[in-house]
Amino acid sequence: MLVHSTGRVRFQTNDYSVPIQYAYQRVTLKADPFRVYVFAGEELVADHPRCYDKRQVIEDWRHYIPLLLKKSFAVPWASALRHGDLPPTFEAARLDLVARRSDGNREFARLLELCLAYSVERVETALAQARGQGDWSADTVRQLLNVASAPAALAPPLDPSQYPAYQGTTTPPDLAAYNRLLEVQP
């Protein structure tokens, strides 16, 4: 089956999205009573709940992120975003970015890209934190996600009593030896 230019395949009158990079390519669709699976070769590239209604569009907004990064002007009208499962805080963040920046939709697409590497819940938490700090961007959210993913704490300081060899007292240096360096040799 051929993927349309819109990044969708049709199965029993319904359109199911696939990642946009598979547009114009042949894929294999497998369906069971509950799910529709799309494979490119051996790789599963899309998995949707099966819809028994007629002429429906079933989309996953994650499939369109590479396209939205290139064509950010389409972000406000992307049906996958409007009908997707994104929390309302993301749309509030998009409106905030558009109001503050000329490239607000592009920055929002970069924010959505973070959802490919992190869960939507983690990105939403970092987004709330970033927005609370005032002027923010997708890079701010990325940095907060990186900090949250960092190892918890450094190793505790060493206990000196466990290393008796280093507990010995040393004699203080003879500072008079340094004064000899000031003497002029003939």
Side-chain angles (χ1 to χ4, degrees), residues 20-174:
I20 195 67
Q21 60 263 30
Y22 294 102
Y24 303 108
Q25 295 183 24
R26 290 220 170 269
V27 295
T28 304
L29 187 139
K30 295 182 181 181
D32 65 29
F34 307 104
R35 310 283 311 165
V36 172
Y37 305 99
V38 181
F39 293 88
E42 297 293 318
E43 180 185 7
L44 176 66
V45 296
D47 176 9
H48 295 283
R50 186 166 178 175
C51 178
Y52 285 98
D53 293 338
K54 300 291 183 194
R55 293 181 237 9
Q56 301 297 309
V57 176
I58 297 87
E59 296 176 304
D60 183 348
W61 55 269
R62 293 165 189 84
H63 293 162
Y64 298 100
I65 289 176
L67 185 61
L68 292 174
L69 287 167
K70 291 180 184 175
K71 299 181 181 235
S72 58
F73 60 85
V75 167
W77 296 279
S79 68
L81 292 177
R82 285 185 284 132
H83 302 112
D85 58 350
L86 279 173
T89 54
F90 279 80
E91 179 61 15
R94 186 189 73 77
L95 294 173
D96 182 29
L97 283 169
V98 169
R100 290 186 303 106
R101 301 172 60 132
S102 61
D103 65 340
N105 285 321
R106 180 176 313 278
E107 195 66 15
F108 182 72
R110 291 181 62 224
L111 178 67
L112 291 178
E113 185 181 27
L114 293 172
C115 295
L116 298 178
Y118 300 96
S119 70
V120 173
E121 294 78 22
R122 288 184 63 193
V123 174
E124 184 179 22
T125 301
L127 176 60
Q129 215 177 346
R131 290 185 74 196
Q133 294 175 1
D135 193 24
W136 63 277
S137 67
D139 289 330
T140 309
V141 176
R142 175 179 280 118
Q143 184 62 29
L144 289 169
L145 287 165
N146 288 340
V147 168
S149 299
L154 300 173
L158 296 176
D159 181 12
S161 64
Q162 302 232 348
Y163 302 94
Y166 296 106
Q167 295 296 323
T169 57
T170 59
T171 57
D174 179 19

